[in-house]
Amino acid sequence: MPDMFSTTGMPYADGRILQHAAGGVGVITFNNPDKRNAMSLEMWEGFGMALTALRDDDDVRVVILRGAGGKAFVSGADISQFEKARHNAAASEEYARRSAAQRALLADYPKPTIACIDGYCLGGGMQVAMLADIRLASHGSQFGIPAAKLGIAYGYDGLRHLVSLVGPSWARLLMYTGMRIDAAEALRIGLVERVFPVDELWGETMMIAETVSQNAPLAIKAAKITITQVLEDESRRDMEAVKAIGNACMDSEDFREGRQAFMEKRKPQFRGR
Ligand code: COA
């Protein structure tokens, strides 16, 4: 993948998290290639800051997450920090609180997100990828959650997403064995949506991101909110939120613009209101 974003982006966590935005597309790069982009606590926090900055940038309509170095998306949490920061239940709770707060930002993200996966996507990397709305991967990518190999309990949210993507049986097989699967298998079981040759991955990802960024933001938000609610337990489902975004969308200037542009046979210019 071309590294056009990694040198110009806004750095966090000593440059191990990079953020850039252009043409309505925001990009966050996990940039710790020597450790296969393993995530330290500082990187989790930098990731949260980058997500917040792109969330609050009105020009950004879609966010891509990707790993630098061509070998990994994210190889999981940085295991070298575990001895100090995650060695027992109490320390682990504090560690989980700090990293989970950043993942919660992604889980509740108001804009569409795409994970662009080239290489290893393991453990916490899978958690990030599964929280994104869409996963695109290169043919050579590998996926796994080696929690059982390390003696770690993978949390409720991570498993909820895994089960909703691949079903309980594949979730059990992956979790009990800690096995890695290749991109073809990941595609087959529904863990990723599309797989491309490595030299096409970035272009294809950008093409999808640009398409999303040019579509009507409120219609996308309506889809995002509604799909999230479909996956909620019925007792927790927020049908008011679904109704509110539906009304906002159907009353929007953009819906008028969409109708007019179609009738006038021109490309619509959506403003998100
Ligand atoms: N945490 C800390 N360091 C990591 C890491 C992680 N999750 N993943 C990789 N690294 C480090 C390695 O220790 C190695 O460091 P070194 O150069 O100082 O020896 C470096 O990154 C390169 O890793 P290496 O194993 O030599 O590369 P590889 O291409 O042969 O294999 C992986 C890559 C990702 C398959 C392998 O490193 C691995 O299994 N990592 C652990 C994955 C894991 O268990 N993740 C879940 C954590 S919860």
Side-chain angles (χ1 to χ4, degrees), residues 183-214:
E185 187 106 79
L187 182 66
R188 198 174 62 73
I189 69 174
L191 189 57
V192 302
E193 281 67 58
R194 284 195 160 168
V195 175
F196 301 103
V198 64
D199 55 348
E200 292 171 22
L201 175 66
W202 185 244
E204 295 283 350
T205 304
M206 280 302 284
M207 208 149 72
I208 291 175
E210 279 161 5
T211 302
V212 172
S213 80
Q214 285 160 21

Side-chain angles (χ1 to χ4, degrees), residues 11-17 31:
Y12 299 94
D14 289 332
R16 295 200 168 94
I17 298 288
N31 183 38

Side-chain angles (χ1 to χ4, degrees), residues 150-171:
L150 288 157
I152 293 175
Y154 204 69
Y156 179 85
D157 282 337
L159 285 180
R160 189 168 77 99
H161 287 105
L162 183 65
V163 172
S164 77
L165 287 170
V166 305
S169 289
W170 258 107

Side-chain angles (χ1 to χ4, degrees), residues 34-36 38 75-80 82 86 120 122-123 146 150 152 180:
D34 288 349
K35 286 194 174 186
R36 307 293 182 261
S75 67
D78 183 339
I79 300 169
S80 69
F82 286 7
R86 206 184 182 187
Y120 294 111
L122 303 174
L150 288 157
I152 293 175
R180 293 207 299 252

Side-chain angles (χ1 to χ4, degrees), residues 18-176:
L18 300 168
Q19 169 230 307
H20 180 86
V25 180
V27 180
I28 297 175
T29 306
F30 303 105
N31 183 38
N32 191 11
D34 288 349
K35 286 194 174 186
R36 307 293 182 261
N37 305 327
M39 293 285 282
S40 62
L41 268 179
E42 297 71 29
M43 284 173 71
W44 281 119
E45 283 168 349
F47 177 48
M49 286 185 247
L51 280 172
T52 303
L54 293 176
R55 180 194 67 194
D56 296 342
D57 182 339
D58 287 340
D59 292 336
V60 170
R61 295 203 177 163
V62 54
V63 174
I64 299 173
L65 311 175
R66 65 173 209 164
K71 290 198 170 146
F73 175 69
V74 168
S75 67
D78 183 339
I79 300 169
S80 69
Q81 286 195 325
F82 286 7
E83 200 49 43
K84 211 169 143 196
R86 206 184 182 187
H87 54 284
N88 61 24
S92 193
E93 196 166 320
E94 169 65 8
Y95 181 98
R97 192 187 58 73
R98 283 175 66 188
S99 63
Q102 322 309 324
R103 287 192 298 274
L105 285 170
L106 182 57
D108 294 332
Y109 213 61
K111 299 178 183 181
T113 52
I114 302 172
C116 174
I117 301 160
D118 181 23
Y120 294 111
C121 178
L122 303 174
M126 282 273 285
Q127 243 174 325
V128 170
M130 291 190 297
L131 283 171
D133 291 326
I134 296 161
R135 283 147 296 281
L136 309 173
S138 63
H139 281 311
S141 296
Q142 293 208 28
F143 304 80
I145 302 177
K149 291 186 186 291
L150 288 157
I152 293 175
Y154 204 69
Y156 179 85
D157 282 337
L159 285 180
R160 189 168 77 99
H161 287 105
L162 183 65
V163 172
S164 77
L165 287 170
V166 305
S169 289
W170 258 107
R172 291 188 191 101
L173 183 56
L174 289 169
M175 296 309 296
Y176 294 179

